[in-house]
Amino acid sequence: MPRWSTCTLAFALLACAASAWAAIPIYGYQVVRAYPHDTGAYTEGLFYKDGYLYESTGQVGQSTVRKVALETGDVVQRHRLPKQYFGEGIVDWKDRLVQLTWQSQTGFVYDLASFTPQRNFSYPGEGWALTRDDMHLYMSDGTPVLRVLDPETLQVIRRITVTADGAPVTNLNELEWVDGEIYANVWLTDRIARIDPASGHVVGWIDLTGLFDINQLPNPGDDVLNGIAWDAQHKRLFVTGKCWPQLFEIKLVKQPAR
């Protein structure tokens, strides 16, 4: 998604979402631990696997896929995209890694172990994020509609319209599959939507207000919350943002009904 944003756009998005958020359970958070994160990483895709974070970073001419040591934030392996591409979401499937780009309508498939490019694929519209369950990939494109992909052919097999109390939820961004739900950053907000993949309904909001003060960053309008990773084995949830200096392990805390 673009690096630009305005206060007017952000206000409009928040105003439109406010009524839908009111009737859905809201979860706060408790920070368990903070880890270093590369402030040069404009985070677009993130997942956890076998003790490492895999991260896709954006910006034309600067986009990468990287393998990152969780404890130190050190990049232990990196692949740079051709300069014309703006890197977006990533996901693993078997021994492969799949990556989207923003507006080029081009995706890449790599060998997961070496990051060696294997093939390209195409899709209409924009590419924002990817996640998966044991059978399918799920793709966001900034609209309220998630695409469900065949992981072998990477073709759309169905679509999920995401709604909150009947209203479509736009700007669905970075995705993560967490215990049968799809978690989705809502771009330009401090919210993560918890989505039922069967119905598309938002069944909970995670409010990360105050997790990190983006006004400390050089570009607070752009360097927003984005990036969710789930360690299924140890039930650890990680979140970060674009160019943030930290990645946070959090636990969810149910908020009282309003």
Side-chain angles (χ1 to χ4, degrees):
M1 78 300 304
R3 188 174 168 83
W4 57 267
S5 62
T6 67
C7 293
T8 301
L9 176 58
F11 179 80
L13 292 171
L14 289 168
C16 291
S19 60
W21 288 353
I24 295 171
I26 298 175
Y27 298 80
Y29 64 91
Q30 174 187 347
V31 174
V32 177
R33 186 174 173 185
Y35 300 86
H37 182 251
D38 180 7
T39 55
Y42 193 73
T43 308
E44 297 291 0
L46 191 70
F47 67 86
Y48 176 91
K49 184 178 178 66
D50 298 333
Y52 291 92
L53 292 167
Y54 289 78
E55 187 170 21
S56 172
T57 69
Q59 301 299 356
V60 173
Q62 303 175 40
S63 297
T64 65
V65 176
R66 47 179 70 184
K67 182 178 180 180
V68 179
L70 172 64
E71 297 288 336
T72 64
D74 293 337
V75 178
V76 299
Q77 192 173 337
R78 187 192 325 251
H79 169 77
R80 297 186 184 277
L81 275 68
K83 291 184 178 180
Q84 68 267 34
Y85 292 109
F86 190 117
E88 288 283 350
I90 53 172
V91 70
D92 65 308
W93 181 260
K94 297 181 180 178
D95 60 351
R96 303 185 292 276
L97 186 147
V98 183
Q99 181 185 35
L100 303 174
T101 61
W102 177 31
Q103 293 182 315
S104 302
Q105 299 185 340
T106 300
F108 301 102
V109 179
Y110 308 94
D111 176 77
L112 179 61
S114 66
F115 290 174
T116 301
Q118 294 183 334
R119 66 183 178 95
N120 299 358
F121 64 100
S122 61
Y123 49 85
E126 296 185 357
W128 283 36
L130 288 169
T131 192
R132 69 171 181 88
D133 60 15
D134 291 336
M135 297 179 62
H136 303 108
L137 307 187
Y138 298 84
M139 171 182 169
S140 66
D141 57 13
T143 73
V145 179
L146 299 179
R147 309 180 200 185
V148 184
L149 309 181
D150 181 298
E152 299 297 336
T153 66
L154 301 174
Q155 296 300 304
V156 176
I157 56 176
R158 63 185 178 92
R159 300 174 190 269
I160 302 168
T161 299
V162 177
T163 60
D165 286 342
V169 181
T170 61
N171 290 292
L172 297 173
N173 202 353
E174 220 277 309
L175 305 176
E176 184 71 11
W177 184 270
V178 180
D179 283 350
E181 296 178 354
I182 298 172
Y183 285 21
N185 283 118
V186 181
W187 183 53
L188 296 180
T189 78
D190 291 323
R191 294 276 177 130
I192 293 174
R194 296 178 57 169
I195 302 163
D196 176 356
S199 65
H201 297 162
V202 174
V203 295
W205 295 107
I206 302 170
D207 185 353
L208 296 181
T209 300
L211 178 63
F212 179 75
D213 181 9
I214 61 175
N215 292 310
Q216 301 176 25
L217 301 175
N219 296 292
D222 302 318
D223 297 338
V224 295
L225 182 75
N226 198 50
I228 312 167
W230 174 243
D231 174 6
Q233 181 179 0
H234 300 102
K235 304 297 183 182
R236 295 187 295 174
L237 181 63
F238 305 101
V239 294
T240 191
K242 302 170 186 291
C243 302
W244 285 20
Q246 292 175 303
L247 174 138
F248 298 93
E249 179 186 346
I250 62 170
K251 287 187 175 179
L252 302 186
V253 179
K254 181 74 175 294
Q255 300 298 303
R258 298 178 181 178

